[in-house]
Amino acid sequence: MQKLTVRGGTPLRGEVRISGAKNAALPIMCASLLTNDVLQLGNMPDLQDVTTMRKLLEHMGVKTSVRGEEVSLSGAHLDKSEAPYDMVKTMRAAILVLGPLVARLGEARVSLPGGCAIGSRPVDIHIKGLQAMGAEIFIEHGYIHAQAKRLKGAHILFDNVSVTSTENLMMAATLADGVTVLENAAREPEVVDLADCLIKMGANIKGAGGHTITITGVQRLHGATHHIVPDRIESGTFLVAAAATGGQVVLLNTQASLLDSVLGKLTEAGARIQSDADSIRLSMHGRPKSVGIRTAPYPAFPTDMQAQFMTLNTIADGSAMVVETIFENRFMHVQELRRLGARIDVEGNTAVIHGVDHLEGATVMATDLRASACLVIAGLMAQGDTVIDRIYHLDRGYEHLEVKLSQLGANISRIK
Ligand code: EPZ
């Protein structure tokens, strides 16, 4: 089991290059199932989840090749419509093959993803949407069995905003017979990036990024070349780390407009932020001010930044409330932060953080992807040494985090 060891107290300084967005790369890789041409992807992040998705697609017959940040995928020899449990259990995003498989092959057998640390993570909205488009679906022995001669356009109103449901059904609808309207759709930049890629492949999609997306089915999609949108959560994570250590950093290869809500909260906390077309500069002098956050669907404050921002509040001046409205169990990091000396009271989906003068290094355990990132930030600002265990969570979603942090002057290393 690999661990990270961090010695706190060094303000982060320098430049760091942001990678392509994990949550755009994963659905866009699944779009390769919709065509027998080649999909060429650039600015791809080097992540465990991307490797897992490549292996899953290859299992179905997609040919893939990787050259640095370029990944190409060809669905010409797609011959299996099954996503087995042992591949799905480590990466929930595997559910994103369901819609494309039913649309392209007329059938799919995908393992139910099961829950994860942050919640039960049901997929009922995905299933209901495909049924509305005419798919016959039953669940047996932990697998979703779906069949449809040809999907037909439908008007789907989402009970609640769901990112991967929006993506799954948008992909399925590109080859359906007729028009599909997705109402109360997710508006995340990764949804927009997927739509942009599908449109380059010949899909007819209007309204991505808004509440209602209209897709008019076409006979077939062709290959395309697409550059993955920058990762707004990796960007936010580095900015919070710089603010928490009183540092001064420049993020390159990113886009400030993707994380307005996070930049607003960091400014409220006392950070000085300037940005241009593809970079964001942050400097922080003195102790941060406590800032309350409430997570909600884009463009509001992202749930994937909740743990990181809570960590900033642990040493801020004052008390602040953090309300998590998306997932039912996304406070697993609270216990670990308390081990480092944080003062946090939790009541249901609300946490109140009372700022303390400083955290003290200790051994802590990562529980999920973004919680692990928050523990790294805590270690960077604690007095003394922090050891973070179970960092495989981190490698799923952050590209060589300790290497990038070391380039910013952090005293951090990976121990086997
Ligand atoms: C996506 O997950 C992201 N993952 C998550 O990022 C992110 O936290 C989440 O969206 C934010 O909403 C990817 O894009 C691969 P949802 P997703 O469907 O699509 C409920 C990370 O750290 N729901 O938007 O699975 C669900 O339980 C990950 O990169 C249903 O009830 O999330 C949740 O309460 C973590 N039924 C709410 O909707 C469904 O069928 C929003 O979930 C689907 C979801």
Side-chain angles (χ1 to χ4, degrees), residues 279-306:
S279 70
I280 304 172
R281 174 189 299 273
L282 177 143
S283 61
M284 183 70 160
H285 303 287
R287 190 178 183 188
K289 294 187 210 55
S290 289
V291 175
I293 56 169
R294 178 187 176 83
T295 66
Y298 192 88
F301 193 91
T303 174
D304 292 349
M305 281 299 303
Q306 177 256 106

Side-chain angles (χ1 to χ4, degrees), residues 22-23 121-125 160 162-164 304 326-327 370:
K22 166 177 89 77
N23 290 350
R121 312 294 294 276
V123 289
D124 55 311
I125 302 176
N160 60 304
S162 164
V163 174
T164 47
D304 292 349
I326 304 288
F327 291 112
R370 305 304 173 181

Side-chain angles (χ1 to χ4, degrees), residues 3-329:
K3 302 178 182 192
L4 281 181
T5 174
V6 191
R7 173 156 299 178
T10 313
L12 297 184
R13 291 231 189 301
E15 292 184 347
V16 62
R17 186 174 179 282
I18 296 300
S19 304
K22 166 177 89 77
N23 290 350
L26 296 176
I28 288 173
M29 290 170 80
C30 295
S32 66
L33 295 167
L34 293 167
T35 174
N36 51 21
D37 287 355
V38 178
L39 191 52
Q40 296 274 10
L41 302 178
N43 198 37
M44 282 288 283
D46 175 13
L47 300 172
Q48 187 54 48
D49 272 9
V50 169
T51 303
T52 305
M53 184 62 89
R54 246 178 6 93
K55 289 205 168 38
L56 172 58
L57 293 171
E58 283 178 351
H59 169 80
M60 294 176 200
V62 175
K63 298 271 175 289
T64 76
S65 69
V66 183
R67 238 188 3 273
E69 294 178 351
E70 306 281 321
V71 174
S72 72
L73 306 106
S74 159
H77 306 286
L78 184 60
D79 60 7
K80 211 176 282 163
S81 59
E82 188 216 59
Y85 175 67
D86 61 346
M87 290 181 152
V88 173
K89 69 180 182 226
T90 61
M91 181 191 60
R92 293 185 33 74
I95 191 70
L96 285 162
V97 304
L98 180 62
L101 282 176
V102 180
R104 174 88 185 283
L105 297 181
E107 62 171 7
R109 185 170 174 276
V110 176
S111 164
L112 277 169
C116 71
I118 62 178
S120 59
R121 312 294 294 276
V123 289
D124 55 311
I125 302 176
H126 298 249
I127 290 170
K128 255 171 66 180
L130 284 172
Q131 286 172 326
M133 295 172 77
E136 296 281 319
I137 297 186
F138 65 94
I139 291 176
E140 195 178 55
H141 303 305
Y143 276 80
I144 303 166
H145 300 257
Q147 269 183 334
K149 258 197 270 333
R150 189 180 181 199
L151 291 170
K152 59 186 189 324
H155 187 137
I156 297 164
L157 169 60
F158 289 108
D159 297 347
N160 60 304
V161 174
S162 164
V163 174
T164 47
S165 300
T166 301
E167 293 166 345
N168 230 337
L169 297 170
M170 181 161 70
M171 286 192 278
T174 58
L175 296 178
D177 180 13
V179 178
T180 299
V181 176
L182 302 179
E183 214 173 330
N184 195 23
R187 300 168 56 195
E188 272 67 5
E190 294 76 29
V191 173
V192 175
D193 205 39
L194 171 63
D196 290 349
C197 180
L198 291 168
I199 290 167
K200 286 178 191 170
M201 295 169 71
N204 180 337
I205 301 173
K206 303 253 184 310
H211 292 291
T212 303
I213 304 176
T214 304
I215 305 106
T216 305
V218 294
Q219 282 306 318
R220 62 182 291 280
L221 295 185
H222 49 72
T225 299
H226 185 74
H227 189 88
I228 301 292
V229 72
D231 194 317
R232 62 195 166 98
I233 305 301
E234 186 194 20
S235 301
T237 303
F238 275 105
L239 292 172
V240 170
T245 55
Q248 187 164 339
V249 299
V250 181
L251 307 191
L252 305 173
N253 191 41
T254 185
Q255 207 179 311
S257 62
L258 299 171
L259 58 158
D260 279 341
S261 58
V262 176
L263 300 183
K265 290 294 178 184
L266 283 165
T267 305
E268 255 184 76
R272 288 234 313 284
I273 295 175
Q274 294 147 312
S275 59
D276 61 22
D278 60 358
S279 70
I280 304 172
R281 174 189 299 273
L282 177 143
S283 61
M284 183 70 160
H285 303 287
R287 190 178 183 188
K289 294 187 210 55
S290 289
V291 175
I293 56 169
R294 178 187 176 83
T295 66
Y298 192 88
F301 193 91
T303 174
D304 292 349
M305 281 299 303
Q306 177 256 106
Q308 298 91 313
F309 213 88
M310 180 187 284
T311 305
L312 181 66
N313 275 328
T314 62
I315 47 104
D317 180 11
S319 296
M321 198 181 277
V322 169
V323 184
E324 171 57 57
T325 72
I326 304 288
F327 291 112
E328 68 268 28
N329 187 32

